[in-house]
């Protein structure tokens, strides 16, 4: 932006009028530079008298270049400035002080060496900046303020780089001198926000914006609120950061944000502390481990016992978000649906109840605690996070947003796609039982003593399952599966294994064991390994009812084994045509199973959610006399 459109007199005058030393600044640092000698603190501000046009022109003649517009206009108002960055640039010189940098530390060679064969334009500019740049600072902490005449915009402005020599980092770039000074003015406010006497027209205006943004956010106008809060946060205003982080967290729900001392406030602790515990619970806290994190929460005022209990509950997935009132009842209802895989239904319950959410205090503008719930948190995608923010709540009114579409489409076709968390060579197998509660599945097909686990992240479930050779009492020939448990929209209980082993001739379908009170269906897809000739893909279906198998078939390559009265719609000869591709054959079978039997599986819950699990009995029988078997373990690198 051109410097001519900016009122430097007003901007610098406001800065000069508001100037006070930082709260941590020594008294002597704030004394008059002229030195009155009487020990009385004299606030003189950062400015200097303006430079004359003749002096500016003389400096330009000495340098051989006309200065960029915003810097030239600045000098005509103040011939230098006390920027007073902590651990950075302290003082900008005037027309008599500025000179070319001339790269005294040979930074050019180092930056050019790292350009590579196809460098970005910004990297080329930065590498050449050191020899071109005009040095502005006269006092700093090993830092340099450099204007680059080789990096210009359409208004003739030069980019300004601040290089902190002690940091080892790339320089900070500002598109113009004006942009740099505006950033330094905001930093001036941030550095003094802890001073109780730092109150002026700017602080009052920014605080009013924070309150306006809070109300806009509660009315669902989060985009308008975001702009106001971002500006207030750049000035360091109280409450701005915590409000801004709530908006950002729901826009990127699976990231992390800081909420400061709210973890110790009893009004906010139930929403905030579990959210703060998400990173260490996932093992993402690297700075000193649990002790350091616990100490940090204690330093913010939270009771250590409370923090330890919340972290433990987050880590073992037993934590439940339980707010009060109508919103809390909706959360409990949604959890009952989501824990069995009905994530879309759960989200609709939450969406319909969002208006009933009540803020426990003025520092909370959204139900952030929802993100920490191990069952409900995974449901909050960025799209749903935006829908939460766009929904009026806490007694405020406004238009409701367009509902986000459901994420799970009916049927089984998604199983044939190389989905996230499942490579194209991975197999899958599933048992469906019609009309029963999923809690009965461990008793029907589980190993001895099998019980449902707490909800487990399905992206990690197979990695946490113990290998067969690692479990006492398990034979090497056994093929027990760690299965995720849920209920389909059509009322079938299911037990799904998305990381199955090889379907061999000793396969023993669990359909009969699963069917004493109704129909049970087993599907197993065994993928191709290496080349089709080595191990052709196999697809198995078996259906049982009242403890007896009704029909079954197994297709391996071009071979079909069948038994019982198979319905025409599921006839493997019709579904597995030799002229079709392996993918087309699989899709045809999955579509027929959905159409004929009403089978489906919730993709979102099985690939991104948390479901209960248990370990099944072996899917293979023991070898008979004279039968041999080989046991091969394949390792797989976890990405």
């Amino acid at each position: 932006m051109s410097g001519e459109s900016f009122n430097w007199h007003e901007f610098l005058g406001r800065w000069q009028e508001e100037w006070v030393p930082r709260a941590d600044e020594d008294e002597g640092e704030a004394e008059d530079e002229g030195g009155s000698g009487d020990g009385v603190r004299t606030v003189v501000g950062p400015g200097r008298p303006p430079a004359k046009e003749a002096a500016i022109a003389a400096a330009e003649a000495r340098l051989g270049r006309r200065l960029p517009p915003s810097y030239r206009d600045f000098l005509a108002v103040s011939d230098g400035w006390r920027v007073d960055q902590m651990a950075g640039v302290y003082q900008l010189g005037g027309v008599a002080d500025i000179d070319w940098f001339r790269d005294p530390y040979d930074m050019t060679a180092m930056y050019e060496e790292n350009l590579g064969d196809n460098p970005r334009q910004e990297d080329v500019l930065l590498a050449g900046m050191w020899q071109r740049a005009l040095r502005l600072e006269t006092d700093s902490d090993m830092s340099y303020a450099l204007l680059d005449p080789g990096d210009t915009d359409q208004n003739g402005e030069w980019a300004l780089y601040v290089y902190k020599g002690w940091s080892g980092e790339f320089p900070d770039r500002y598109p113009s001198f004006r942009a740099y000074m505006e950033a330094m003015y905001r930093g001036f406010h941030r550095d003094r926000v802890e001073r109780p006497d730092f109150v002026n027209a700017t602080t009052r205006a920014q605080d009013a914006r924070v309150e306006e943004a809070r109300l806009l956010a509660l009315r669902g106008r989060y985009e308008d609120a975001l702009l106001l809060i971002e500006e207030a946060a750049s000035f360091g205003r109280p409450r701005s950061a915590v409000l801004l982080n709530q908006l950002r967290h729901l826009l990127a729900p699976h990231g992390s944000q800081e909420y400061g001392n709210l973890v110790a406030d009893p009004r906010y602790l139930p929403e905030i502390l579990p959210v703060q515990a998400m990173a260490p619970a996932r093992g993402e806290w690297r700075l000193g481990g649990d002790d350091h994190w616990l100490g940090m929460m204690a330093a913010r005022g939270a009771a250590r016992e409370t923090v330890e209990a919340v972290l433990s509950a987050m880590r073992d997935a037993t934590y439940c978000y339980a707010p009060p009132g109508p919103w809390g009842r909706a959360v409990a209802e949604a959890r009952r649906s989501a824990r069995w895989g009905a994530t879309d239904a759960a989200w609709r319950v939450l969406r319909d109840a969002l208006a009933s959410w009540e803020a426990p205090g003025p520092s909370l503008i959204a139900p952030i605690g929802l993100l920490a719930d191990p069952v409900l948190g995974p449901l909050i995608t960025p799209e749903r996070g935006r829908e939460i923010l766009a929904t009026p709540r806490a007694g405020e009114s406004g238009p409701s947003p367009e509902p986000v579409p459901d994420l799970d489409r009916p049927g089984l076709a998604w199983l044939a796609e190389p989905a996230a968390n499942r490579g194209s060579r991975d197999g899958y197998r599933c048992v469906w039982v019609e009309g029963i509660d999923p809690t009965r599945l461990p008793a029907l097909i589980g190993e001895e003593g099998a019980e449902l686990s707490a909800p487990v992240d399905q992206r990690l479930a197979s990695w946490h399952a113990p290998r067969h050779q690692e479990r006492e009492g398990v034979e090497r020939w056994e093929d027990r599966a760690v299965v995720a448990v849920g209920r389909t929209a059509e009322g079938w209980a299911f037990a799904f294994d998305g990381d199955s082993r090889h379907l061999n001739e000793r396969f023993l379908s669990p359909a009969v064991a699963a069917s004493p009170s109704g129909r049970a269906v087993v599907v197993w897809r065994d993928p191709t390994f290496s080349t089709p000739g080595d191990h052709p893909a196999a697809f198995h279906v078996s259906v049982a009812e009242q403890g007896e198998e009704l029909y079954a078939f197994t297709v391996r390559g071009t071979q079909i084994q069948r038994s019982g009265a198979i319905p025409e719609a599921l006839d493997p000869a019709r579904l597995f045509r030799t002229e079709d591709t392996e993918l087309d054959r699989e899709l045809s079978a999955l579509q027929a199973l959905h159409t004929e039997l009403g089978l489906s599986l919730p993709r979102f819950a099985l690939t991104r959610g948390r479901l209960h699990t248990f370990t099944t009995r072996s899917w293979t029988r023991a070898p008979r006399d004279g039968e041999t078997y080989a046991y091969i373990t394949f390792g797989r690198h976890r990405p």
Side-chain angles (χ1 to χ4, degrees), residues 125-431:
L125 287 173
L126 179 57
M129 180 272 296
W130 308 97
Q131 292 183 346
R132 297 188 301 261
L134 183 66
R135 179 176 177 177
L136 304 186
E137 90 293 335
T138 57
D139 184 19
S140 71
D141 178 16
M142 294 178 61
S143 299
Y144 307 94
L146 306 172
L147 273 174
D148 182 10
D151 186 354
T152 63
D153 65 14
Q154 67 274 17
N155 298 309
E157 295 288 357
W158 304 0
L160 188 146
Y161 291 85
V162 173
Y163 177 62
K164 298 175 181 178
W166 44 265
S167 72
E169 299 174 351
F170 285 100
D172 295 325
R173 181 187 181 276
Y174 303 86
S176 67
F177 179 79
R178 171 189 163 181
Y180 166 73
M181 289 294 283
E182 289 179 311
M184 294 306 100
Y185 176 63
R186 294 190 292 270
F188 157 78
H189 270 264
R190 288 195 303 273
D191 291 345
R192 288 153 179 81
V193 73
E194 298 298 330
R195 284 190 60 134
D197 60 342
F198 188 61
V199 179
N200 49 59
T202 302
T203 62
R204 287 189 289 268
Q206 292 300 329
D207 288 343
R209 287 185 173 91
V210 172
E211 180 58 21
E212 181 185 358
R214 184 184 75 87
L215 293 175
L216 287 171
L218 292 176
R219 293 165 187 163
R221 296 174 55 187
Y222 73 93
E223 292 172 313
D224 296 331
L226 191 61
L227 295 174
L228 292 176
I229 296 178
E230 283 177 337
E231 181 184 2
S234 73
F235 282 85
R237 298 315 302 159
R239 291 176 52 213
S240 61
V242 74
L243 297 181
L244 177 59
N245 286 348
Q246 291 172 66
L247 297 180
R248 288 175 171 171
H249 210 163
L250 283 167
L251 293 172
H254 304 297
S256 60
Q257 296 290 341
E258 281 295 325
Y259 294 101
N261 294 336
L262 288 192
V263 295
D265 191 317
R267 294 174 297 175
Y268 308 117
L269 185 150
E271 295 263 358
I272 296 300
L273 183 56
V275 173
Q276 294 281 245
M278 290 172 67
R282 291 191 299 246
E284 297 173 1
W285 187 263
R286 298 288 182 258
L287 300 176
D290 285 359
D291 285 341
H292 182 266
W293 183 81
L294 291 168
M296 190 172 71
M297 295 298 106
R300 294 176 180 176
R304 187 178 180 95
E305 297 81 6
T306 301
V307 176
E308 287 178 338
V310 169
L311 178 58
S312 176
M314 289 293 298
R315 187 160 280 157
D316 62 20
T318 58
Y319 167 74
C320 287
Y321 175 54
W327 169 244
R329 290 193 290 273
V331 167
E333 181 184 347
R335 186 183 294 108
R336 286 192 292 271
S337 295
R339 70 186 288 236
W340 301 120
T343 56
D344 284 334
W347 168 246
R348 289 193 293 270
V349 169
L350 293 173
R351 179 173 60 202
D352 292 343
L354 274 172
S356 67
W357 177 79
E358 293 290 342
S363 292
L364 209 64
I365 55 176
I368 294 295
L370 189 64
L371 300 177
D373 190 285
V375 174
L376 298 177
L379 274 60
I380 312 304
T381 62
E383 295 77 16
R384 288 171 172 170
R386 285 194 290 271
E387 188 170 357
I388 290 174
L389 293 176
T391 301
R393 53 202 178 275
E396 297 293 334
S397 60
S400 297
E402 188 71 22
V404 172
D406 286 350
L407 296 178
D408 276 330
R409 63 182 187 267
L412 300 169
W414 68 269
L415 288 169
E417 302 171 4
N421 318 310
R422 286 176 60 267
S424 59
R425 290 179 56 183
D426 289 343
Y428 55 81
R429 52 188 169 181
C430 187
V431 181

Side-chain angles (χ1 to χ4, degrees), residues 497-575:
D497 173 22
D499 191 36
S500 67
R501 298 169 63 189
H502 171 45
L503 189 161
N504 60 43
E505 65 279 0
R506 291 186 291 105
F507 164 58
L508 183 65
S509 172
V512 171
S515 68
S517 60
R519 273 194 308 174
V521 180
V522 169
V523 172
W524 187 340
R525 185 245 181 181
D526 183 11
T528 299
F529 284 87
S530 242
T531 61
D534 295 337
H535 178 70
F539 197 95
H540 169 84
V541 174
S542 50
V543 179
E545 189 170 6
Q546 302 296 326
E548 294 186 7
E549 183 174 277
L550 301 180
Y551 57 88
F553 66 81
T554 301
V555 179
R556 188 182 301 279
T558 59
Q559 302 299 313
I560 298 178
Q561 295 178 336
R562 54 194 302 159
S563 62
I566 301 173
E568 183 181 356
L570 295 178
D571 185 350
R574 184 178 70 84
L575 299 176

Side-chain angles (χ1 to χ4, degrees), residues 429-432 440-453 465-466 468 471 473-475 477-485 494-501 507-511 513-514 522 524 612-620:
R429 52 188 169 181
C430 187
V431 181
W432 288 266
R440 293 184 56 194
L441 287 172
L444 293 174
I445 60 172
E447 65 180 6
E448 184 177 355
E451 295 181 349
L452 292 180
S453 72
H468 295 290
R471 298 186 59 201
V474 177
E475 300 290 342
W477 55 262
E478 291 193 73
D479 180 14
R480 306 189 190 191
V482 177
V483 289
V485 179
F494 68 81
F496 177 80
D497 173 22
D499 191 36
S500 67
R501 298 169 63 189
F507 164 58
L508 183 65
S509 172
V522 169
W524 187 340
H612 300 281
T613 65
F614 72 92
T615 302
T616 69
R617 302 167 199 162
S618 177
W619 290 56
T620 56

